[in-house]
mmCIF file of all heavy atoms in Angstrom:
data_model
loop_
_atom_site.group_PDB
_atom_site.id
_atom_site.type_symbol
_atom_site.label_atom_id
_atom_site.label_comp_id
_atom_site.label_asym_id
_atom_site.label_seq_id
_atom_site.Cartn_x
_atom_site.Cartn_y
_atom_site.Cartn_z
ATOM 1 N N TRP A 53 140.109 9.103 140.948
ATOM 2 C CA TRP A 53 140.876 9.183 139.712
ATOM 3 C C TRP A 53 140.883 7.837 139.008
ATOM 4 O O TRP A 53 140.714 7.750 137.809
ATOM 5 C CB TRP A 53 142.310 9.596 139.986
ATOM 6 C CG TRP A 53 142.481 11.031 140.342
ATOM 7 C CD1 TRP A 53 141.677 12.078 140.008
ATOM 8 C CD2 TRP A 53 143.524 11.586 141.128
ATOM 9 N NE1 TRP A 53 142.161 13.239 140.526
ATOM 10 C CE2 TRP A 53 143.296 12.975 141.211
ATOM 11 C CE3 TRP A 53 144.637 11.047 141.742
ATOM 12 C CZ2 TRP A 53 144.147 13.816 141.898
ATOM 13 C CZ3 TRP A 53 145.489 11.892 142.426
ATOM 14 C CH2 TRP A 53 145.238 13.265 142.501
ATOM 15 N N ALA A 54 141.075 6.767 139.760
ATOM 16 C CA ALA A 54 141.176 5.443 139.156
ATOM 17 C C ALA A 54 139.858 5.018 138.531
ATOM 18 O O ALA A 54 139.841 4.439 137.464
ATOM 19 C CB ALA A 54 141.617 4.416 140.196
ATOM 20 N N THR A 55 138.737 5.283 139.160
ATOM 21 C CA THR A 55 137.468 4.822 138.611
ATOM 22 C C THR A 55 136.886 5.803 137.603
ATOM 23 O O THR A 55 136.070 5.413 136.792
ATOM 24 C CB THR A 55 136.434 4.577 139.726
ATOM 25 O OG1 THR A 55 136.256 5.772 140.446
ATOM 26 C CG2 THR A 55 136.870 3.460 140.634
ATOM 27 N N ALA A 56 137.320 7.056 137.615
ATOM 28 C CA ALA A 56 136.795 8.042 136.674
ATOM 29 C C ALA A 56 137.576 8.044 135.370
ATOM 30 O O ALA A 56 137.195 8.700 134.419
ATOM 31 C CB ALA A 56 136.830 9.431 137.305
ATOM 32 N N ASP A 57 138.671 7.314 135.334
ATOM 33 C CA ASP A 57 139.494 7.254 134.135
ATOM 34 C C ASP A 57 138.663 6.693 132.981
ATOM 35 O O ASP A 57 138.103 5.622 133.079
ATOM 36 C CB ASP A 57 140.712 6.372 134.394
ATOM 37 C CG ASP A 57 141.839 6.682 133.450
ATOM 38 O OD1 ASP A 57 141.709 6.294 132.280
ATOM 39 O OD2 ASP A 57 142.814 7.302 133.872
ATOM 40 N N ASN A 58 138.560 7.434 131.903
ATOM 41 C CA ASN A 58 137.712 7.026 130.789
ATOM 42 C C ASN A 58 138.470 6.164 129.785
ATOM 43 O O ASN A 58 139.673 6.299 129.620
ATOM 44 C CB ASN A 58 137.170 8.256 130.063
ATOM 45 C CG ASN A 58 136.239 9.056 130.927
ATOM 46 O OD1 ASN A 58 135.515 8.504 131.745
ATOM 47 N ND2 ASN A 58 136.260 10.357 130.753
ATOM 48 N N PHE A 59 137.720 5.326 129.109
ATOM 49 C CA PHE A 59 138.268 4.576 127.994
ATOM 50 C C PHE A 59 138.458 5.547 126.835
ATOM 51 O O PHE A 59 137.779 6.575 126.754
ATOM 52 C CB PHE A 59 137.298 3.464 127.588
ATOM 53 C CG PHE A 59 137.212 2.352 128.585
ATOM 54 C CD1 PHE A 59 136.288 2.381 129.615
ATOM 55 C CD2 PHE A 59 138.070 1.266 128.495
ATOM 56 C CE1 PHE A 59 136.215 1.358 130.537
ATOM 57 C CE2 PHE A 59 138.005 0.234 129.413
ATOM 58 C CZ PHE A 59 137.074 0.279 130.439
ATOM 59 N N ALA A 60 139.344 5.210 125.930
ATOM 60 C CA ALA A 60 139.598 6.077 124.777
ATOM 61 C C ALA A 60 138.324 6.270 123.949
ATOM 62 O O ALA A 60 138.056 7.366 123.463
ATOM 63 C CB ALA A 60 140.706 5.492 123.915
ATOM 64 N N ASP A 61 137.542 5.209 123.814
ATOM 65 C CA ASP A 61 136.283 5.280 123.074
ATOM 66 C C ASP A 61 135.440 4.061 123.427
ATOM 67 O O ASP A 61 135.876 3.190 124.185
ATOM 68 C CB ASP A 61 136.519 5.368 121.569
ATOM 69 C CG ASP A 61 137.402 4.251 121.035
ATOM 70 O OD1 ASP A 61 137.303 3.105 121.536
ATOM 71 O OD2 ASP A 61 138.200 4.524 120.125
ATOM 72 N N SER A 62 134.237 4.009 122.871
ATOM 73 C CA SER A 62 133.344 2.889 123.203
ATOM 74 C C SER A 62 133.883 1.563 122.679
ATOM 75 O O SER A 62 133.636 0.514 123.270
ATOM 76 C CB SER A 62 131.940 3.145 122.652
ATOM 77 O OG SER A 62 131.956 3.211 121.250
ATOM 78 N N LYS A 63 134.658 1.605 121.614
ATOM 79 C CA LYS A 63 135.262 0.375 121.072
ATOM 80 C C LYS A 63 136.266 -0.205 122.082
ATOM 81 O O LYS A 63 136.324 -1.414 122.285
ATOM 82 C CB LYS A 63 135.942 0.693 119.745
ATOM 83 C CG LYS A 63 136.279 -0.503 118.927
ATOM 84 C CD LYS A 63 136.784 -0.068 117.553
ATOM 85 C CE LYS A 63 137.063 -1.277 116.710
ATOM 86 N NZ LYS A 63 137.529 -0.907 115.374
ATOM 87 N N ALA A 64 137.036 0.667 122.717
ATOM 88 C CA ALA A 64 138.003 0.222 123.727
ATOM 89 C C ALA A 64 137.272 -0.377 124.927
ATOM 90 O O ALA A 64 137.691 -1.400 125.476
ATOM 91 C CB ALA A 64 138.889 1.384 124.163
ATOM 92 N N GLN A 65 136.177 0.250 125.324
ATOM 93 C CA GLN A 65 135.394 -0.279 126.447
ATOM 94 C C GLN A 65 134.761 -1.621 126.071
ATOM 95 O O GLN A 65 134.730 -2.542 126.884
ATOM 96 C CB GLN A 65 134.323 0.712 126.875
ATOM 97 C CG GLN A 65 133.591 0.283 128.124
ATOM 98 C CD GLN A 65 132.671 1.366 128.665
ATOM 99 O OE1 GLN A 65 132.588 2.461 128.116
ATOM 100 N NE2 GLN A 65 131.978 1.068 129.732
ATOM 101 N N ASP A 66 134.268 -1.743 124.852
ATOM 102 C CA ASP A 66 133.700 -3.020 124.401
ATOM 103 C C ASP A 66 134.742 -4.131 124.434
ATOM 104 O O ASP A 66 134.454 -5.251 124.864
ATOM 105 C CB ASP A 66 133.125 -2.891 122.986
ATOM 106 C CG ASP A 66 131.870 -2.036 122.933
ATOM 107 O OD1 ASP A 66 131.257 -1.783 123.993
ATOM 108 O OD2 ASP A 66 131.510 -1.607 121.811
ATOM 109 N N SER A 67 135.961 -3.833 123.992
ATOM 110 C CA SER A 67 137.045 -4.827 124.022
ATOM 111 C C SER A 67 137.360 -5.236 125.455
ATOM 112 O O SER A 67 137.572 -6.418 125.746
ATOM 113 C CB SER A 67 138.303 -4.267 123.350
ATOM 114 O OG SER A 67 138.060 -4.023 121.986
ATOM 115 N N PHE A 68 137.387 -4.263 126.341
ATOM 116 C CA PHE A 68 137.637 -4.521 127.759
ATOM 117 C C PHE A 68 136.560 -5.456 128.315
ATOM 118 O O PHE A 68 136.867 -6.461 128.960
ATOM 119 C CB PHE A 68 137.643 -3.188 128.526
ATOM 120 C CG PHE A 68 137.776 -3.320 130.018
ATOM 121 C CD1 PHE A 68 139.017 -3.420 130.615
ATOM 122 C CD2 PHE A 68 136.648 -3.326 130.837
ATOM 123 C CE1 PHE A 68 139.146 -3.530 131.998
ATOM 124 C CE2 PHE A 68 136.757 -3.430 132.209
ATOM 125 C CZ PHE A 68 138.020 -3.535 132.790
ATOM 126 N N CYS A 69 135.318 -5.137 128.058
ATOM 127 C CA CYS A 69 134.204 -5.930 128.594
ATOM 128 C C CYS A 69 134.171 -7.327 127.984
ATOM 129 O O CYS A 69 133.876 -8.309 128.676
ATOM 130 C CB CYS A 69 132.877 -5.214 128.376
ATOM 131 S SG CYS A 69 132.752 -3.688 129.339
ATOM 132 N N ARG A 70 134.470 -7.433 126.704
ATOM 133 C CA ARG A 70 134.508 -8.749 126.065
ATOM 134 C C ARG A 70 135.597 -9.624 126.710
ATOM 135 O O ARG A 70 135.375 -10.791 126.997
ATOM 136 C CB ARG A 70 134.754 -8.574 124.561
ATOM 137 C CG ARG A 70 134.436 -9.772 123.736
ATOM 138 C CD ARG A 70 134.459 -9.536 122.228
ATOM 139 N NE ARG A 70 135.224 -8.409 121.725
ATOM 140 C CZ ARG A 70 134.716 -7.211 121.396
ATOM 141 N NH1 ARG A 70 133.429 -6.966 121.540
ATOM 142 N NH2 ARG A 70 135.491 -6.257 120.916
ATOM 143 N N ALA A 71 136.756 -9.035 126.971
ATOM 144 C CA ALA A 71 137.850 -9.783 127.607
ATOM 145 C C ALA A 71 137.499 -10.166 129.043
ATOM 146 O O ALA A 71 137.893 -11.226 129.530
ATOM 147 C CB ALA A 71 139.136 -8.961 127.573
#
Side-chain angles (χ1 to χ4, degrees):
W53 286 334
T55 58
D57 202 286
N58 294 326
F59 289 90
D61 54 36
S62 63
K63 195 173 183 179
Q65 186 171 359
D66 290 344
S67 296
F68 175 86
C69 293
R70 197 170 22 262

